[in-house]
């Protein structure tokens, strides 16, 4: 709820200025983001804005009355292929519905993310879409719940796309895909071809997306009565270089495996390079699978078996749901399906598959 000033009314720009110890003009410059101000002054002003729960009504009204309605799209790294596909879907759907999409790439900087969200709140953006997995901690839930409440108070909507959901009742829209189910189906396909020693190249242990994919890997083994070797589960991140390093490490340590299940297609690309450099034939000696089905997965050699995630549709749905259906006071949760795309990077062990 918006805090009241000493006279019982909504907090004004003068209240913010008094709290921050600066002029109203300086507050306006900080919120407008047009004129340069010192980092210390900016921090003081934004702290006062948060403490007073101030929303720049005059600026928001000007934007709403004279400009194009906006929505914010926040992600860690726009250069990632899957994120780029989702951003494309967000932008296209926002344009179709007559909204301007503002994109913020944070490089994992929580302060940068918070500043951008606050700007969107001050502008009364129709929605703010946060993308990508993270650590599902009490601190994360509390911080994100505060963001959701603040946006809702300003007439906006928080959308979590692939991020951990919040506690029931929070004013948030959660849109996910079947992350664990996709990994289960993919690993089951590899096991059905006779593989029993599957090297898993995972992501950061605390990352919810990485956790879901590892759970799918383990569940597929359990379903087929195949024991997993902890030594075959390596952690890293979702990049090509991580896949390359982890595969070289597995080869150097003499780990026994006949297949590699990479947590992303980018990781799989690095694994393929490491195997090729080591003279290992794919899929003749070792099979390789990825996850995401990014555009170049079909152009790798051999073409990559992977899990198709509808990233562009996720972006479109995030916008459509927030703008057309996301006005409920509480939470809503949507789940999109995934499926395995079989190409030629998986071979059969011993020449006989075990599809049963």
């Amino acid at each position: 709820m918006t805090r009241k000033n000493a006279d019982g009314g909504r907090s004004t720009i003068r209240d913010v200025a008094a709290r921050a110890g600066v002029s109203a003009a300086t507050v306006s410059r900080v919120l407008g983001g047009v004129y340069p101000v010192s980092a210390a002054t900016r921090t003081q002003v934004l702290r006062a804005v948060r403490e007073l729960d101030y929303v720049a009504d005059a600026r928001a009204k000007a934007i709403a009355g004279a400009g194009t309605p906006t929505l914010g799209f926040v992600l860690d790294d726009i250069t990632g292929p899957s994120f780029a596909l989702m951003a494309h879907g967000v932008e296209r759907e926002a344009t179709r519905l007559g909204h301007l999409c503002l994109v913020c790439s944070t490089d994992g900087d929580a302060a940068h993310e918070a500043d951008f969200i606050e700007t969107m709140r001050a502008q009364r953006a129709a929605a703010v879409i946060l993308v990508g997995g993270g650590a599902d901690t009490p601190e994360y839930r509390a911080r994100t719940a505060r963001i959701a409440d603040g946006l809702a108070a300003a007439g906006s909507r928080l959308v979590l796309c692939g991020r951990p959901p919040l506690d029931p009742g929070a004013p948030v829209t959660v849109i996910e895909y079947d992350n664990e189910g996709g990994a289960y189906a993919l690993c089951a396909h590899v096991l059905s071809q006779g593989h029993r020693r599957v090297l898993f190249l995972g992501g950061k242990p605390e990352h919810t997306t990485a956790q879901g994919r590892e759970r799918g890997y383990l569940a597929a083994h359990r379903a087929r009565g195949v024991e997993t070797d902890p030594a075959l589960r390596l952690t890293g991140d979702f990049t090509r270089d991580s896949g390359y390093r982890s595969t070289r490490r597995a080869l150097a340590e003499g780990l026994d495996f006949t297949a590699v299940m990479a947590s992303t297609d980018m990781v799989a690309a690095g694994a393929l390079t490491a195997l090729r450099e080591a003279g290992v034939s794919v899929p003749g000696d070792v099979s390789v699978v990825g996850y995401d089905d990014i555009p170049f997965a079909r152009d790798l050699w051999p073409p990559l078996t992977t899990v198709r995630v509808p990233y562009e549709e996720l972006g479109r749905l995030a916008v459509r749901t927030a703008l057309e259906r996301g006005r409920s006071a509480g939470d809503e949760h949507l789940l999109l399906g995934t499926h395995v795309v079989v190409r030629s990077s998986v071979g059969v062990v011993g020449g006989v598959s075990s599809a049963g």
Side-chain angles (χ1 to χ4, degrees):
M1 178 179 293
T2 301
R3 290 186 173 86
K4 308 295 184 180
N5 61 19
D7 298 324
R10 291 167 62 91
S11 296
T12 68
I13 195 169
R14 290 184 177 82
D15 297 323
V16 174
R19 175 68 66 94
V22 300
S23 68
T26 298
V27 174
S28 180
R29 291 189 185 100
V30 171
L31 296 181
V34 178
Y35 298 95
V37 296
S38 70
T41 299
R42 176 179 172 78
T43 298
Q44 286 176 254
V45 170
L46 291 178
R47 183 184 298 118
V49 166
R50 286 193 296 270
E51 290 173 352
L52 295 174
D53 202 25
Y54 171 74
V55 177
D57 290 326
R59 185 164 181 249
K61 289 176 182 176
I63 290 171
T68 302
T70 61
L71 60 86
F73 180 66
V74 186
L75 69 171
D76 283 349
D77 179 14
I78 200 170
T79 64
S82 57
F83 285 156
L85 285 170
M86 194 179 297
H88 184 60
V90 167
E91 194 279 330
R92 290 187 66 180
E93 192 67 11
T95 299
R96 186 183 73 82
L97 295 174
H99 283 62
L100 176 66
C101 178
L102 302 179
V103 178
C104 175
S105 181
T106 66
D107 291 323
D109 186 336
H112 187 190
E113 178 179 288
D115 286 349
F116 180 78
I117 293 171
E118 180 56 36
T119 299
M120 292 294 94
R121 190 177 80 102
Q123 293 184 5
R124 296 194 186 276
V128 175
I129 302 169
L130 302 185
V131 175
D136 189 3
T137 63
E139 292 76 17
Y140 160 82
R141 287 177 176 265
R143 182 179 70 251
T144 309
R146 287 195 298 271
I147 291 171
D149 288 337
L151 288 170
S156 186
R157 182 74 174 181
L158 179 65
V159 182
L160 302 178
C161 223
R163 286 204 179 190
L166 303 182
D167 296 328
V172 64
T173 296
V174 177
I175 300 178
E176 296 184 290
Y177 57 90
D178 192 1
N179 185 40
E180 182 176 339
Y184 175 94
L186 180 66
C187 190
H189 170 70
V190 173
L191 295 173
S192 76
Q193 304 308 300
H195 296 276
R196 293 297 179 264
R197 302 280 298 177
V198 182
L199 176 67
F200 181 75
L201 304 183
K204 297 176 181 177
E206 71 278 7
H207 197 280
T208 53
T209 301
Q211 292 169 0
R213 295 180 186 182
E214 185 169 2
R215 285 196 302 270
Y217 164 87
L218 294 172
H221 281 77
R222 286 195 301 270
R224 287 187 167 267
V226 179
E227 291 210 19
T228 57
D229 182 352
L232 293 181
R233 301 204 303 272
L234 304 182
T235 59
D237 56 41
F238 286 166
T239 65
R240 177 266 179 203
D241 288 347
S242 177
Y244 179 80
R245 289 192 302 269
S246 293
T247 304
R248 283 180 59 92
R249 171 187 160 192
L251 292 170
E253 293 178 359
L255 294 181
D256 176 25
F257 58 94
T258 63
V260 176
M261 180 170 166
S263 52
T264 70
D265 293 344
M266 295 297 291
V267 172
L272 285 169
T273 300
L275 291 169
R276 183 172 60 251
E277 289 179 356
V280 178
S281 170
V282 178
D285 299 322
V286 171
S287 295
V288 177
V289 296
Y291 203 116
D292 290 334
D293 196 27
I294 58 179
F296 73 72
R298 72 192 71 177
D299 297 318
L300 293 171
W301 189 256
L304 189 66
T305 292
T306 184
V307 174
R308 168 72 174 165
V309 179
Y311 284 114
E312 187 166 338
E313 177 55 27
L314 277 167
R316 287 179 173 274
L317 185 62
V319 175
R320 195 159 58 244
T321 303
L323 299 184
E324 296 180 350
R325 296 171 50 205
R327 297 307 178 199
S328 62
D331 63 313
E332 49 189 343
H333 200 143
L334 303 174
L335 180 69
L336 274 65
T338 56
H339 66 271
V340 176
V341 178
V342 177
R343 298 194 177 100
S344 55
S345 63
V346 178
V348 178
V349 173
V352 179
S353 68
S354 55

